[in-house]
Amino acid sequence: MSFNHQKIDAKWQQRWESEKVFEAADNSSKPKQYLLVEFPYPSGAGLHVGHPRSYTAIDVIARKRRMEGYNVLFPMGWDAFGLPAEAYAIKTGIHPAITTKQNIETFRRQLKSIGFSFDWSREVDTTDPKYYRWTQWMFNQFFKAGLAYKAKAMINWCPKDKIGLANEEVVGGACERCGTPVEKKEKEQWLIAITKYADRLLADLDTVDYLPKIKKQQQDWIGKSEGAEIEFGLVGIPGQDDGKHKVKVFTTRPDTIDGTTFVVISPETAKTWIDVGWQASSEVRAYVDSALAREDMDRTAEGKEKTGVDTGIKAINPFNQEQIAVWVADYVLGHYGTGAIMAVPQHDDRDREFATSFGLPIVDRPLIAFDDAVLKVGGVKTTKYKLRDWVFSRQRYWGEPIPLVHCEKDGWVAVPDDQLPVELPNVEKYEPTDNGESPLSTIESFVNTTCPTCGGPAKRETDTMPNWAGSSWYFLRYADPHNSQEFASKSALESWMPVDLYNGGMEHTTLHLLYSRFWHKFLFDQGLVPTSEPYLRRHSHGLIMSEDGTKMSKSKGNVVNPDEVVAEFGADCFRAYLLFMGPFEEPVPWSKQGLTGIHRFLDKLDRLSEKLPTSSTADDQHTHALHQLVERVSQAIENFKFNTAIADLMKFLNSAHSGLSISDWSILLRLVNPFAPHLTNEIAERLGLLEGQTCLESLSWPIARQEFLVKTESTIVIQINGKLRANLVAPTSTAEETLVATAKQLPEVAKYLTGEIKRTVVVPGKLINFVI
Ligand code: ANZ
């Protein structure tokens, strides 16, 4: 090993810190760029190699942007409420605040050792009362706007431990701690009405630039269905056969109603009927009980054998007056649509499977127009969503206390702003109580308070918020982290928001990403933030697997420790390897050999620089290749093709030998700097290439000189009405008509080219805009 990475890493990290090189300026004439990565949960296990993969990628972009002249905000903080700290406290009695503080220190040290260009002066910690004061304040805005409400909701209940479990504590249907099968239990919970925003959360996806797979997951999760509710009359109900009863179904296909051969009600619906006097058979009762104990996921899994029972009740098809059977079956869910369906085996796969299993009729009938069908049967057109309201309470200690007080006279009252935060009191036991209440409920001095409205005796809410609360708005706090009067000043928000690029895991697409978009839209409606979407662009990284391709896990002992990699190979090698290991969006296995390959590359850069420079005049061939390299690497970074950028750098170095002039070196070092910031600075300083600055980061990003670029291909931007829809890469010699014709065929373009094309604007080699 030739260069002393330990010395070099420490030297440049200290210099960046003392010179405050990465601090974002609040008042700057430069254009802003807000780059965000998901802040970690500071677990006791320390940083996982998955974290720095995402952070290095966005760090490379942040470093490039600064050199391009942007005022960059690239912050870091801690999403520090959560179950592991609490589980540890239950085991050891050590307060979660203490372990959290220690874990944060470890994470901070680890992140700093990798040389990320975070603005550490803006660090936030969701468990800091100065922070969660605003999380509570925002909850109160939801409450005051009527969007937070209390209702019965199902929770996971461990009958042995007698506690409510979070979804992540239920493993294969059993309690993670003791293995007892988990039951469902109804409990009063706080919910937030995210469903009121379903339409906007869906529609506004058109205004942001997210990876297509991210948009798709959000759309599916919101699950908008346009259909109709239609009533079927019921006859033959044991104990209630008065001809007055009806069942309402939800269908997206009223046009198929003529082919309905039976009706299916959900076990939940059956239960409510039984509760109001239906004398159901014992077979029906037994089926309903067993179905209700099962998870929806399990009930509706594809390929699962269909189960159900004939209720003996008959329904009358309002379209053709045919009498058909009513079944109860678990593939129909209680809390979607109306909890009952009209089954059309001719057109619906699940219905056909069910009909085949139970010998029910399948008929072949012509379709009718959607609207005609709805009209004829007196149905009502409706829109349904899969999205449910957000269950916002947990019976846990380590979370933000929900800042509400209950008074006999005034009901639920928000704790006034000047009494926030409602701080977590000290407890002795961190377990939920035997009846599933939060441990806060046992602390009388916390629970008993006075009503802010009438001054009479009142009781505090003892539930705490879910893990997703603090992360729903943290990016706003980074804009103005030390403000004690507001969560952030208007001017800070106006200068930084929206986030220009946000990278995070695919596992957060449907929860965190959706919650934070919703939260932000609500704040926007309240006039508290300047934009209705928080993130302009969302990208995502693939997971890092172990060398054998399986998931890294502590129990398998195959977890890679970033500290060891940094100690052995240095921060630059770790960083460049994380980006070189494979396409950024895809899962990739860790490889020690790959790490050695990168080390050889950095070593070569160092050795070459020691031999050089020999002359100050440029060698044409190298200069030529170097400028093409600048172009390719710059493009690759913009397109998240970090692995090909590094491959290109390696290729260049292999052919460069000793022909580089000092000005070529200046370009090369700046180009490699975002990937290997420590070594490139060290070499630049040695070669006298810092141009009077203290580090490379203060110099500008190299620009490829056009005369050195022989262009064989160009990337053409395809717009519709001025809006970017696609990019087309084509040989520069392609004829204009061919380009236009090809552009029209692109799926992303064709989708929007619905109307007549009024005009086609072509800027050769750059852009095609269809005006429709
Ligand atoms: C008749 C029909 C015929 C249907 C056909 C579909 C196809 P999405 O798109 O997911 O909203 N459905 C309604 N409520 C249900 C529930 N609670 N549990 C399970 N299935 C339910 O699907 C709506 C369709 O799913 C509805 O339209 C209904 O079946 C079924 F050729 O009605 B359809």
Side-chain angles (χ1 to χ4, degrees), residues 225 250-253 256 331-333 336-337 339-342 344 347-348 350 386:
S225 292
F250 171 66
T251 177
T252 48
R253 300 287 310 275
T256 66
Y331 78 100
V332 174
L333 300 175
Y336 183 62
I341 66 155
M342 55 180 223
V344 188
H347 292 289
D348 185 280
R350 291 167 302 175
K386 296 255 152 62

